[in-house]
Amino acid sequence: MTEQREVSLPRIIEIVTAARRYFFDEQMQRDVHMKGPVDFVTEVDFHVQAYLQETLRRAYPDVQFMGEEKDNDDIDFSGRVWILDPVDGTANLVHDLRASAVSLGLYENGEGLLGVIYNPYTDEVFSAVRGGGAFLNGKPIHVTDAPDLAHSMVVVGTSSNHRQRTAWTFDCFREIFDKSEDIRLGGSAALSLADVARGRYGALFQRYLMPWDYAAGKVIIEEAGGVTADFCGDPLSCRSNRPSTVLAAANETILREMQSIVNPDHKPADIFIREEDCL
Ligand code: 2AM
Ligand code: CA
């Protein structure tokens, strides 16, 4: 067996934050391609991914690489794997809303070992190593102490590329709104998860997220004292290329309240897949 190189968080942060230059390259930002009717990708996405894939390969040659803008069919999820969204919040980038992030997780056998979310517009780095707490620019962060949903601001996402269940999604938003302080639309799942970890939001709900959208955020929220789950209340899977509904909350009480809104009948995960839809 080959010896595994120890992953150093300061080194990873240095590597990730060096991607900042691509976000401020206006030519790359304007070079937009369409993956679907409202599914954007820009040259920023491609350049950030290419830079990180190559730099991480050189630094940690034994770690596999999963990235949103590549084919990931050959990943062996029992081994160590980087899970990267080079630009989370690409629609925000295209519309110059300055709310996008690099999201990088390190997983082994489905277990999150490390997460880094970098907001290049504010130079904020959210980070966590399993068992070591969560940090924002080196200072410890913690989820809100709001006791329940009624005392929480909740961030939600629309899943604009997957509109098959929009009515259901907005029914959930309505009920969450009725039972919480208020709701906000994020537009970057990674930054929304980071905002749960730092105590701004009490909870997050978004359907149809891919592992690269939440891999880093899951580690950071859990290290900040929060909890995450999928549609069924099971742990979020980072062992496949499949989408999940993502629930995140500051505590179990809020998570259960959210779960009882989005899945009151405790339906199994495959209920929507049978409808050729997604959770
Ligand atoms: P993206 O910008 O990397 O595509 C917007 O509500 C949030 O949902 C963003 O985090 C966005 O990630 C994510 N999102 C949008 N379309 C998606 C898709 N087709 N699959 C997975 N996540 C998506
Ligand atoms: Ca992306």
Side-chain angles (χ1 to χ4, degrees):
M1 198 170 136
T2 53
E3 202 179 311
Q4 291 190 343
R5 202 174 288 183
E6 183 101 11
V7 172
S8 141
L9 180 62
R11 176 79 185 112
I12 299 305
I13 290 174
E14 197 183 322
I15 290 171
V16 169
T17 53
R20 184 178 192 279
R21 60 189 184 271
Y22 300 111
F23 284 80
F24 296 93
D25 184 315
E26 287 182 15
Q27 208 169 330
M28 282 189 198
Q29 187 183 344
R30 277 194 228 107
D31 199 346
V32 181
H33 313 259
M34 300 308 293
K35 295 195 283 186
V38 285
D39 196 358
F40 306 103
V41 63
T42 73
E43 282 300 313
V44 179
D45 303 58
F46 292 129
H47 279 80
V48 171
Q49 176 166 301
Y51 153 70
L52 284 173
Q53 183 169 7
E54 179 55 18
T55 309
L56 291 169
R57 187 192 62 74
R58 279 208 223 116
Y60 304 102
D62 55 312
V63 183
Q64 303 168 86
F65 185 86
M66 180 190 203
E68 177 171 9
E69 313 308 338
K70 70 184 266 289
D71 182 282
N72 297 298
D73 284 347
D74 59 347
I75 305 280
D76 169 10
F77 288 95
S78 66
R80 289 200 299 176
V81 54
W82 296 112
I83 304 181
L84 175 76
D85 191 342
V87 179
D88 185 72
T90 300
N92 283 354
L93 181 74
V94 167
H95 292 285
D96 202 25
L97 293 170
R98 301 172 68 86
S100 312
V102 181
S103 175
L104 179 70
L106 176 64
Y107 276 69
E108 182 167 25
N109 215 1
E111 288 295 312
L113 305 179
L114 173 153
V116 172
I117 295 172
Y118 172 51
N119 180 341
Y121 303 99
T122 57
D123 260 328
E124 289 177 311
V125 179
F126 300 85
S127 67
V129 170
R130 174 65 66 217
F135 298 86
L136 165 54
N137 290 351
K139 294 200 177 112
I141 52 173
H142 204 267
V143 291
T144 172
D145 58 7
D148 53 25
L149 192 55
H151 296 89
S152 297
M153 174 77 91
V154 179
V155 61
V156 299
T158 50
S159 312
S160 53
N161 301 313
H162 301 276
R163 299 187 180 217
Q164 306 94 319
R165 294 185 60 79
T166 297
W168 172 75
T169 305
F170 279 71
D171 285 348
C172 291
F173 291 175
R174 169 67 201 256
E175 197 173 338
I176 292 167
F177 172 74
D178 285 343
K179 292 181 172 166
S180 67
E181 267 181 14
D182 201 348
I183 60 173
R184 294 286 183 271
L185 269 175
S188 160
L191 287 181
S192 298
L193 289 163
D195 280 338
V196 175
R198 81 194 303 188
R200 284 184 171 167
Y201 296 119
L204 168 144
F205 159 60
Q206 184 164 355
R207 51 179 284 270
Y208 216 105
L209 287 180
M210 295 294 284
W212 46 75
D213 296 316
Y214 59 77
K218 174 176 153 66
V219 179
I220 295 169
I221 285 188
E222 290 173 359
E223 286 300 318
V227 286
T228 60
D230 71 5
F231 178 78
C232 301
D234 292 328
L236 288 169
S237 170
C238 285
R239 293 187 59 105
S240 75
N241 265 330
R242 288 184 50 182
S244 297
T245 287
V246 173
L247 292 168
N251 58 54
E252 288 288 347
T253 304
I254 299 173
L255 187 72
R256 275 198 303 274
E257 288 181 277
M258 295 286 288
Q259 200 95 49
S260 70
I261 292 171
V262 308
N263 189 4
D265 306 322
H266 305 285
K267 288 180 185 159
D270 64 359
I271 185 141
F272 296 130
I273 290 166
R274 275 202 308 271
E275 295 166 13
E276 296 186 344
D277 203 315
C278 170
L279 312 184

